[in-house]
Amino acid sequence: MDSSYNFSWNSLNFIDRKCLIVKNVKEFYDKSKKYGKPSGLLQAFFNMKFAEMLEGNEAIDLGAGCGNDALFLINKGFYVTCIDKEEKSRENIENKIENKDKLKIIIDDFENVELKKVNLIYSCFSLQFCNPKKIDDLMQRITKSVYKNGFFVR
């Protein structure tokens, strides 16, 4: 593990994709919005039955973007807090998700938001946009915000 992080990886169930290289972020976002599919990583998390290990159904989607992953989680029975710094994300997510009772949207840099304790924190293609000076603090807060048998999936 990367020793530059000052938190305990042992206290957190951690699933990480190996590498995703995207040369054009806008193109990636536009295609995600157009096709409306959840990320392969999130689908794999459920296909490999990791979700069955969760003892609750609350999730945070860091960098929620166009809402595909939030919709997927809500359809799986989760209550989802979407955090994204782009105001246009609010409109995209609200237009995509009909079940607003299971949805909360926060528009802010997620390194500034107080994270509540949840079973699942999910981040697809967003942590690399964090301020490098704030990443250690964010990772510590993520670790503290995931219940003992929960997961941080990124």
Side-chain angles (χ1 to χ4, degrees):
M1 293 294 160
D2 184 350
S3 61
S4 68
Y5 292 101
N6 298 322
F7 58 91
S8 170
W9 289 100
N10 296 331
S11 65
L12 187 65
N13 291 311
F14 185 75
I15 296 176
D16 191 5
R17 69 178 150 266
K18 296 294 181 198
C19 182
L20 173 64
I21 299 172
V22 176
K23 293 182 180 181
N24 185 323
V25 174
K26 182 177 180 339
E27 181 181 344
F28 175 83
Y29 181 86
D30 290 344
K31 284 184 178 181
S32 295
K33 185 176 175 186
K34 177 181 178 181
Y35 296 112
K37 303 286 185 195
S39 77
L41 180 65
L42 188 58
Q43 291 178 63
F45 177 76
F46 281 85
N47 291 342
M48 293 187 299
K49 309 294 184 194
F50 286 110
E52 294 174 8
M53 298 167 59
L54 295 175
E55 296 176 356
N57 64 344
E58 288 187 273
I60 295 174
D61 184 355
L62 295 175
C66 57
N68 296 338
D69 298 320
L71 176 61
F72 180 82
L73 288 167
I74 287 172
N75 288 339
K76 293 285 187 184
F78 282 79
Y79 291 85
V80 180
T81 298
C82 295
I83 303 172
D84 199 290
K85 69 179 183 178
E86 300 295 334
E87 185 61 42
K88 67 181 177 184
S89 293
R90 177 187 309 278
E91 182 181 340
N92 291 334
I93 294 166
E94 287 177 345
N95 288 339
K96 183 172 295 238
I97 297 173
E98 293 179 18
N99 189 350
K100 307 284 192 285
D101 294 339
K102 292 190 169 193
L103 176 66
K104 179 179 179 181
I105 301 171
I106 299 172
I107 303 299
D108 200 348
D109 287 330
F110 45 76
E111 60 255 34
N112 297 330
V113 175
E114 185 69 31
L115 301 175
K116 67 180 186 174
K117 199 101 168 149
V118 295
N119 311 100
L120 174 65
I121 295 182
Y122 177 73
S123 174
C124 176
F125 196 61
S126 57
L127 291 178
Q128 67 269 28
F129 298 110
C130 286
N131 179 334
K133 294 178 181 176
K134 294 183 178 183
I135 192 72
D136 283 341
D137 176 63
L138 175 62
M139 296 305 289
Q140 287 180 16
R141 291 186 305 114
I142 288 170
T143 300
K144 291 175 183 174
S145 296
V146 177
Y147 285 119
K148 181 180 178 186
N149 293 321
F151 285 87
F152 172 43
V153 180
R154 70 168 188 104

